[in-house]
Amino acid sequence: MGYFGNHLATLVTGVFAAVLTGLWPYFVDFAPLLNFIFIMAVPITWFMTFTCWISQKSTDYMHHQAPAHSEKKSLSNTQTIETIATGSQVSLSEIKQIQNELSLELNNVKETVKLKDSEIERLNQEISNLETLVQIESLKTELANLKMLASGKKTK
């Protein structure tokens, strides 16, 4: 982390901006070009100082917040957890009980889905059987029509 809390770039640009700001009044009368350079350099260095400070604050915020979210805390059965939404406290045993109830409901839903899948498969089989029966009946009708036509031609 260092002596300056990783703000070394901010410190260096800030010192440079302060020196430029302090020297500006002494060089105003020398040359118009030098005055123009100071007019451009002083605001730019202060802007760089501000940018370095903001970026380091952002980096510090991101790196200091990350470990708090990634740490896992072990809870015993007697400890409680405070919920964010309602502010009420729930014990670990209650959480496990609710988890078990939800697991049972999930298993029931899975069984129901399996039953529905088998019912759908049976209905698909019946549909294919009915299609086959319809095809057989249409073939029988076609055969009967052909027999009638053949018998009609024999009589002529």
Side-chain angles (χ1 to χ4, degrees), residues 104-121:
L104 288 174
E105 285 184 38
L106 180 63
N107 289 337
N108 289 338
V109 168
K110 285 180 181 178
E111 286 297 320
T112 305
V113 168
K114 285 180 184 176
L115 291 174
K116 297 292 180 184
D117 285 344
S118 64
E119 182 71 18
I120 289 171
E121 184 63 35

Side-chain angles (χ1 to χ4, degrees), residues 116-130:
K116 297 292 180 184
D117 285 344
S118 64
E119 182 71 18
I120 289 171
E121 184 63 35
R122 185 185 65 78
L123 289 173
N124 283 336
Q125 184 64 35
E126 281 186 30
I127 289 170
S128 65
N129 289 342
L130 289 173

Side-chain angles (χ1 to χ4, degrees), residues 12 21 28 30 48 77 79 89 108 116 130 134 139 151:
V12 168
T21 304
V28 170
F30 286 112
M48 286 175 47
N77 288 338
Q79 290 179 324
Q89 292 188 351
N108 289 338
K116 297 292 180 184
L130 289 173
V134 167
L139 288 175
S151 65

Side-chain angles (χ1 to χ4, degrees), residues 46 67-68:
W46 281 116

